[in-house]
């Protein structure tokens, strides 16, 4: 008899557990971005981004065990956060189960160059660390994931233009004129309005953060047309240093973060107000947020010689630029001027495997280490005495944090020319036109240790290692000050719901009501 009672009790508890799990699955929806490929009209394959929103359980009409969506709970599917079951709570009849809703931040960028994604990831890391379990940050490539066929290929078009600077110069110059910018924006809106609208209504962001110059006008226009602009905070984080495209600066944003005083003044020319602007520096990767270990320890760890200077040669993640010619010319000049042990060179080829293999078979007159893509760039910079790099803003900002004198080997016409001026005017480096001039500048630094030390100090003083944290803290304060949490029951009743039925391919929508 006792065993029968125990079995009945176990069965009842199991039934209650399963029933409450189904209820939790119905009211808890996981947030993620999914790329959907389906056939459109005429058999055309269409690619769209689908957001599924994570909201909170509402009201339980009857008593019983409710599984609250604690960390790791994702509608019974086992989610990104660890796939935990959650917390079982006893809820009385008519009792409201209140679980705070995370603030949603949609971060818009595009892989037109590596700096935009790196900045977005740095800000996401800082926000997650400052506001654990309070914010839900999604990074989206607005062209590759939210745009139609022509605009979807913009990252590839950019990579092509980057290899043909003359074509890029013409393209960039055309974008400086207001009529050209308006025509491009109107064309984009005509072809992609519905895609952006669907993304915004599906994800329901509390804040949109743009880290790309082309992600201001169209998203703001969509928010205004939907009538929800006043409920979505919009922030721009400028990721250029010495020069910037005018499209960075839109007077309709709530806040714009600029890295330098020059860009602050530039923003004012485009009708930005002082109360909209903040200056904290350029967001950089997490590995640069703290001081690096001793350089001797790092050189030993990286397999470098301990007692001779290190010249770091980089070309970005793609390994672009004339790295082979530059590295060979600099090595030969160092051997002529300083001797076979006057310095050593580290060449980081990025993802350019052909270049790496070519350099590996080169006969070097001085010690040279050739490597591909590295995930510990901070350690290589901390172990180096100076750096040769193209004028990308991210690499310059990270070099300043590590106190490296900078020799610029090239720049992209347009926005990167301002970075050359920034380096020169602040006395932290110079630009060499061609491999021979670059070699002259490097040997000049190696031959004058006092000037190298002074330049290193100026670079260190100019660096902003806490920029990512400062921007994220300011963004979080703005987010939590402006968006007040509505009562849970009211929020659920009035929320815009945009989702896909799990059993059908058609989209189910409910009318949008103000929150």
């Amino acid at each position: 008899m006792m065993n029968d009672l125990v079995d009945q009790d176990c069965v009842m508890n199991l039934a209650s557990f399963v029933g409450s799990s189904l209820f939790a699955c119905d009211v808890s929806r996981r947030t993620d971005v999914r790329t959907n490929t389906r056939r459109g009209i005429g058999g055309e394959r269409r690619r769209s981004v689908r957001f599924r929103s994570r909201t909170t359980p509402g009201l339980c009409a009857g008593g019983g065990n409710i599984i609250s969506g604690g960390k790791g709970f994702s509608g019974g599917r086992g989610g990104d956060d660890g796939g935990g079951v959650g917390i079982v709570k006893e809820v009385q009849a008519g009792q409201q189960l209140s679980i705070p809703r995370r603030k949603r931040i949609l971060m818009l960028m595009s892989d037109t160059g590596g700096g935009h994604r790196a900045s977005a990831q740095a800000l996401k890391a800082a926000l997650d660390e400052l506001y654990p379990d309070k914010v839900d940050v999604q990074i989206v490539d607005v062209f590759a994931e939210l745009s139609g066929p022509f605009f979807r290929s913009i990252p590839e078009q950019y990579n092509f233009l980057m290899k043909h600077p003359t074509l890029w110069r013409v393209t960039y110059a055309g974008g400086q004129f207001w009529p050209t910018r308006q025509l491009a924006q109107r064309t984009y809106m005509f072809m992609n309005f519905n895609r952006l609208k669907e993304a915004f209504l599906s994800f329901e962001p509390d804040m949109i953060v743009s880290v790309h110059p082309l992600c201001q006008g169209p998203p703001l226009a969509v928010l205004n047309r939907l009538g929800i602009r006043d409920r979505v905070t919009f922030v721009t984080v400028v990721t250029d240093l010495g020069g910037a495209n005018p499209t960075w600066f839109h007077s309709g944003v709530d806040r714009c973060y600029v890295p330098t005083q020059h860009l602050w003044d530039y923003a004012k020319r485009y009708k930005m107000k002082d109360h909209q602007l903040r200056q904290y520096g350029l967001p950089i990767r997490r590995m640069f947020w703290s001081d690096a270990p001793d350089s001797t320890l790092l050189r030993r760890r990286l397999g470098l010689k301990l007692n001779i200077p290190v010249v770091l040669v980089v070309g970005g993640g793609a390994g672009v630029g004339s790295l082979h010619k530059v590295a060979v010319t600099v090595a030969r000049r160092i051997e002529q001027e300083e001797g076979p042990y006057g310095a050593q060179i580290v060449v980081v080829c990025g993802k350019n495997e052909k270049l790496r293999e070519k350099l590996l078979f080169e006969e070097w007159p001085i010690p040279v280490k050739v490597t591909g893509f590295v995930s510990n760039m901070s350690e290589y910079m901390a172990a180096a005495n100076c750096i040769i790099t193209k004028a990308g803003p991210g690499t310059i900002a990270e070099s300043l944090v590590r106190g490296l004198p900078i020799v610029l080997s090239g720049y992209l016409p347009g926005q990167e020319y301002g970075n050359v001026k920034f380096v020169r005017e602040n006395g932290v480096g110079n630009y060499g036109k061609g491999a021979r001039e670059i070699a002259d500048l490097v040997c000049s630094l190696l031959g004058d240790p006092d000037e190298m030390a002074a330049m290193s100090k100026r670079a260190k003083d100019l660096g902003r290692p806490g920029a990512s944290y400062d921007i994220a803290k300011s963004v979080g304060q703005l987010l939590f000050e402006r968006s007040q949490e509505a009562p849970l029951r009211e929020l659920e009743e009035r929320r815009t719901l945009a989702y896909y039925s799990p059993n059908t391919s058609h989209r189910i929508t409910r009318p949008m009501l103000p929150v």
Side-chain angles (χ1 to χ4, degrees):
M1 176 70 70
M2 190 66 177
N3 290 337
D4 292 340
L5 290 174
V6 171
D7 291 342
Q8 290 177 10
D9 187 52
C10 291
V11 170
M12 292 179 65
N13 285 338
L14 178 61
S16 177
F17 179 86
V18 172
S20 59
S21 298
L22 294 175
F23 174 80
C25 290
D26 180 62
V27 296
S28 176
R29 301 189 303 281
R30 175 170 171 255
T31 304
D32 61 359
V33 184
R34 298 202 173 191
T35 303
N36 206 24
T37 305
R38 59 184 185 273
R39 293 283 179 181
I41 299 174
E44 178 192 1
R45 293 182 68 85
R46 295 196 303 157
R47 181 171 177 264
S48 63
V49 167
R50 182 169 68 183
F51 295 91
R52 290 190 299 173
S53 307
R54 180 188 292 125
T55 57
T56 52
L59 189 66
C60 178
N65 290 329
I66 297 299
I67 301 179
S68 64
K71 185 174 182 181
F73 181 78
S74 59
R77 294 174 180 259
D80 309 332
D81 297 327
V85 174
I87 304 171
V88 180
K89 294 185 178 180
E90 185 74 22
V91 181
Q92 303 299 325
Q95 181 179 348
Q96 181 173 333
L97 179 62
S98 178
I99 302 173
R101 171 185 176 273
R102 291 185 181 187
K103 301 297 184 184
R104 299 192 185 97
I105 301 176
L106 186 61
M107 204 165 288
L108 302 180
M109 48 70 66
S110 182
D111 284 316
T112 52
H116 301 297
R117 182 174 292 277
S119 295
Q121 291 172 339
L123 290 174
K124 182 182 185 304
L127 285 165
D128 289 341
E129 190 168 316
L130 285 169
Y131 304 99
D133 299 322
K134 293 183 180 180
V135 295
D136 182 8
V137 184
Q138 293 286 344
I139 299 174
V140 178
D141 189 321
V142 73
F143 295 119
E145 297 177 273
L146 300 183
S147 301
F150 173 77
F151 289 93
R152 188 182 303 149
S153 63
I154 280 183
E156 289 76 17
Q157 296 174 33
Y158 177 85
N159 291 334
F160 172 80
L161 292 172
M162 190 167 59
K163 297 175 183 177
H164 301 82
T166 303
L167 292 177
W168 171 253
R169 188 193 302 271
V170 174
T171 304
Y172 185 86
Q176 302 301 298
F177 298 100
W178 183 85
T180 309
R181 296 199 302 270
Q182 289 298 306
L183 176 62
Q185 179 171 315
R186 290 177 183 272
T187 303
Y188 179 85
M189 287 289 291
F190 176 76
M191 299 177 66
N192 299 285
F193 173 81
N194 287 332
R195 290 180 172 87
L196 287 180
K197 179 184 73 172
E198 178 179 320
F200 293 167
L201 293 182
S202 298
F203 186 67
E204 300 173 359
D206 298 288
M207 171 181 281
I208 294 177
V209 178
S210 167
V211 292
H212 194 277
L214 302 182
C215 294
Q216 274 66 236
L220 284 168
V222 172
L223 294 176
N224 284 320
R225 195 173 300 181
L226 291 175
I228 58 175
R229 171 64 186 91
D230 59 333
R231 289 183 280 113
V232 179
T233 307
F234 198 101
V235 166
T236 298
V237 180
V238 180
T239 59
D240 283 319
L241 276 174
N245 195 302
T247 54
W248 275 115
F249 307 109
H250 195 294
S251 59
V253 304
D254 294 295
R255 189 163 293 174
C256 179
Y257 296 89
V258 294
T260 61
Q261 182 62 42
H262 175 74
L263 290 190
W264 179 296
D265 298 336
Y266 196 62
K268 296 290 291 293
R269 290 169 50 187
Y270 288 92
K271 301 181 180 179
M272 299 290 292
K273 306 298 182 183
D274 285 335
H275 69 87
Q276 294 175 293
L277 297 172
R278 298 291 187 277
Q279 181 183 334
Y280 293 119
L282 193 78
I284 55 177
R285 293 176 288 179
R286 179 193 290 271
M287 65 182 77
F288 291 92
W289 294 356
S290 57
D291 292 336
D294 179 70
S295 61
T296 302
L297 176 65
L298 288 175
R299 289 186 183 186
R300 184 176 290 111
R301 182 188 303 172
L302 297 172
L304 302 175
K305 296 187 179 300
L306 302 182
N307 299 319
I308 59 176
V310 178
V311 178
L312 182 61
V313 183
V314 301
V320 297
S322 304
L323 286 187
H324 179 270
K325 185 176 181 179
V326 168
V328 170
T329 304
V330 170
R332 290 174 180 172
R333 182 64 59 82
I334 290 175
E335 194 272 336
Q336 293 172 2
E337 299 283 338
E338 306 292 333
Y341 292 98
Q344 57 190 319
I345 296 178
V346 176
V347 186
V348 180
C349 302
K351 299 176 182 179
N352 193 332
E353 280 298 312
K354 291 183 179 179
L355 173 64
R356 188 180 72 88
E357 292 176 2
K358 187 177 181 180
L359 289 172
L360 285 173
F361 287 101
E362 190 74 36
E363 293 186 3
W364 299 100
I366 64 173
V368 173
K369 178 178 180 178
V370 178
T371 182
F373 183 84
V374 298
S375 58
N376 58 338
M377 181 59 76
S378 173
E379 293 184 352
Y380 277 101
M381 286 190 178
N385 296 90
C386 66
I387 185 170
I388 302 173
T389 177
K390 62 184 285 291
T395 305
I396 292 175
E398 292 170 352
S399 300
L400 295 177
V401 169
R402 290 292 174 249
L404 283 180
I406 302 168
V407 176
L408 297 176
S409 59
Y411 64 91
L412 202 60
Q415 73 273 21
E416 286 189 355
Y417 175 69
N419 299 337
V420 176
K421 293 179 62 179
F422 174 82
V423 168
R424 281 175 164 173
E425 291 174 358
N426 285 282
V428 294
N430 212 330
Y431 167 68
K433 188 176 181 180
R436 291 184 179 180
E437 192 170 332
I438 292 170
D440 290 340
L441 292 172
V442 171
C443 288
S444 176
L445 287 172
L446 294 174
D448 191 349
D450 292 338
E451 175 58 24
M452 182 183 286
M455 194 175 290
S456 177
K457 183 179 183 306
R458 289 193 292 268
K460 193 81 172 177
D461 293 341
L462 198 60
R464 303 292 291 272
S468 300
Y469 244 69
D470 293 338
I471 295 172
K473 185 176 180 180
S474 178
V475 164
Q477 290 173 346
L478 181 64
L479 172 64
F480 288 100
E481 286 173 2
R482 292 200 53 176
S483 58
Q484 298 297 325
E485 192 79 55
L488 186 60
R489 185 176 182 181
E490 180 183 359
L491 187 67
E492 282 298 313
E493 291 175 352
R494 299 169 66 191
R495 174 173 302 284
T496 301
L497 296 181
Y499 59 93
Y500 287 81
S501 169
N503 300 320
T504 60
S505 59
H506 65 276
R507 187 168 183 267
I508 303 173
T509 60
R510 298 181 188 176
M512 183 181 70
L513 296 172
V515 175

